Amino acid sequence: MKKKSSVIGKAAYMVLAMTLICGVLYTIAVTGLSQIFFHNKANGSVIEINGKKYGCELLAQ
């Protein structure tokens, strides 16, 4: 029985670790890099007229 509980504990630790790495850290890194290197494209193509934002330039093409 001791072996089964240690495997479950290690599995739970790996699930938490991989969730943190793949779900949080990777997402933050990719978003941050895209904002730094591709700022104009990373935010989409929002139409702005007289300071008011209307939507996407590519909508309904």
Side-chain angles (χ1 to χ4, degrees), residues 6-61:
S6 75
V7 170
I8 292 173
K10 288 179 183 177
Y13 173 75
M14 283 305 297
V15 167
L16 290 173
M18 294 307 290
T19 299
L20 178 67
I21 292 169
C22 297
V24 178
L25 298 178
Y26 176 76
T27 306
I28 291 171
V30 170
T31 303
L33 289 173
S34 68
Q35 288 293 326
I36 291 169
F37 293 111
F38 306 107
H39 179 68
N40 294 335
K41 292 183 180 186
N43 293 326
S45 55
V46 178
I47 298 172
E48 187 174 339
I49 300 173
N50 295 329
K52 186 174 180 184
K53 296 180 182 179
Y54 286 98
C56 179
E57 290 177 357
L58 302 175
L59 195 61
Q61 282 192 3

